[in-house]
Amino acid sequence: MLLFLFPASFFILMEPGNQTCASEFLLLGFSAKSEIQFLLFGLFLSLYLVMFIGNLLIILAVSSDSHLHTPMYFFLSNLSFADICFASTTIPKMLVNIQTQSKVITYAGCLSQIFFFIVFGCLDNLLLTVMAYDRFVAICHPLHYTVIMNPRLCGLLALGSWCISVMGSLLETLTVLRLSFCTNREIPHFFCDLPEVLKLSCSNTLVNNIVVYFTTSLLAMIPFNGIIFSYYQIVSSILRISSAGGKYKAFSTCGSHLLVVSLFYGTGLGVYLSSAATSSSRTSLVASVMYTVVTPMLNPFIYSLRNRDIKGALGKLLVKMGTLKDRDVVGLS
C-alpha cells in the first residue's frame, strides 16, 4: 500500500549506471507449498484487518470525543496512525504476492519499502518516548501539567518525531543507491529488510553498515534511555505517595503505556537476537511477524481494555455508527 506512494522516479534518477542489473528482487516468504500459502494468506489478512480496524477505531474515538482532546490521547492517536502505516508497509505487498503466486518486488518498490519501514518503526519509537515524557510530567509535575504540555509543545513533539524519522530513514535508504546487485537477489523474508538486502550486494557495504549502526544506535538508544529515565522518575514519585490508593491511581495512568513499551522493545529485541543468534530464516521470520503485525494489532486492545475513557468513547462511536444501542454503552464503560 504505502510502498507505492514514494516516487519511483526518485530512485531511478539516483541509480548509478552499474545498477541496471538489479531491476527486481525475490521475496521468498514463508513457504512454497500452495496449501500453506492459502493458510498464511487467511492468517495475515485476518491479523491485518484486526490491526487496521482496531487502530482506526482508536483514532476515530479520540477525534470524535472532546473529553479525549488531551496530550495523552493526541499522542495515542498518532501512535495508532503510525501502527497502521507500519504494518501497511509490508503486509499488503505480501498478501498480493501470495494471491498472485509471485515473489517479485521491483528495485524501486524494495527501496520504498525499506524507507517507509524505517520511518514508521522509528516514529513508533519516538512517539512512545514522547508519551513517556507526557506521563512523567502528569505524575511528577501534576500542577504544571497543562502549562508544560500545551498544544504548541504537543504539536512540536509530534512534528519533531516525524521529521527525525524521515531524516533517519533517508540517511539509511539513500546509501543503498551506491550498491550494485548483480548475482543472487533472493531475500529470505516477506519484505525488503535492510540487513538482508545489504547481504545481497556485491559492492563494499562498510559505509552502509556504519550508517545503519550509527543511525540505529542514535534513534533507538536515546529514546530508550529517555523512557527509562522517565519511568525512573515516575516510580520514584509514586513511591513517595503515602496512600496505597494514590499509588495505584498514579500507576494505572501509565500501566497501558508501559505494557506497550515492553511489547515494542521486547519484540524488537527478539528480531535482533533471532537474526544474530541463528542462521535459520524461519526463526527470524516469526520474530519479524511479531514485531511488524502482532504488536501493532495488540496496541489498541491494550489501551482500550485498560482505559475506561477509551472504552466509553468507543461505545459512543459505535452507537453513532449504529453498531450498538445506548444501553450497551453503559456495559462498555
Side-chain angles (χ1 to χ4, degrees), residues 86-104:
F86 186 53
S88 297
T89 303
T90 58
I91 303 304
K93 175 60 178 174
M94 183 190 68
L95 293 175
V96 169
N97 284 1
I98 293 176
Q99 182 68 22
T100 59
Q101 296 294 306
S102 171
K103 299 180 180 181
V104 175

Side-chain angles (χ1 to χ4, degrees), residues 265-326:
Y265 280 101
T267 53
L269 183 62
V271 171
Y272 173 77
L273 292 178
S274 64
S275 60
T278 178
S279 58
S280 173
S281 60
R282 186 171 298 275
T283 304
S284 180
L285 283 172
V286 173
S288 295
V289 168
M290 291 292 296
Y291 184 66
T292 59
V293 188
V294 178
T295 299
M297 183 192 71
L298 291 178
N299 287 350
F301 293 99
I302 293 173
Y303 274 101
S304 60
L305 292 177
R306 294 178 57 88
N307 191 303
R308 181 175 295 179
D309 293 333
I310 289 290
K311 285 194 289 186
L314 285 173
K316 294 176 184 177
L317 177 65
L318 294 174
V319 167
K320 291 180 181 179
M321 296 170 61
T323 306
L324 291 178
K325 296 181 180 179
D326 288 331

Side-chain angles (χ1 to χ4, degrees), residues 165-215:
S165 300
V166 170
M167 288 189 296
S169 181
L170 277 175
L171 188 62
E172 292 191 46
T173 307
L174 291 179
T175 55
V176 180
L177 296 171
R178 56 179 289 276
L179 303 177
S180 57
F181 303 88
C182 301
T183 55
N184 179 32
R185 288 169 295 173
E186 293 182 346
I187 301 174
H189 225 305
F190 62 90
F191 68 96
C192 283
D193 188 27
L194 180 57
E196 296 294 338
V197 172
L198 294 181
K199 291 177 183 178
L200 301 180
S201 173
C202 52
S203 305
N204 190 332
T205 58
L206 177 62
V207 174
N208 300 76
N209 289 325
I210 292 174
V211 169
V212 168
Y213 286 126
F214 173 77
T215 308

Side-chain angles (χ1 to χ4, degrees), residues 10 17 24 52 85 108 117 134 163 165 175 185 214 216 234 295:
F10 174 81
E24 61 186 30
F52 190 93
C85 296
F117 184 82
D134 172 72
C163 292
S165 300
T175 55
R185 288 169 295 173
F214 173 77
T216 303
I234 288 172
T295 299

Side-chain angles (χ1 to χ4, degrees), residues 112-162:
S112 300
Q113 201 172 64
I114 291 173
F115 173 78
F116 284 113
F117 184 82
I118 297 174
V119 165
F120 294 115
C122 182
L123 183 60
D124 263 356
N125 190 24
L126 292 174
L127 286 174
L128 288 174
T129 307
V130 170
M131 293 170 76
Y133 175 71
D134 172 72
R135 293 300 83 204
F136 159 73
V137 175
I139 293 175
C140 299
H141 306 283
L143 299 179
H144 302 95
Y145 178 74
T146 54
V147 176
I148 297 174
M149 299 302 296
N150 57 76
R152 182 173 180 273
L153 178 62
C154 293
L156 288 174
L157 288 173
L159 179 62
S161 298
W162 275 94

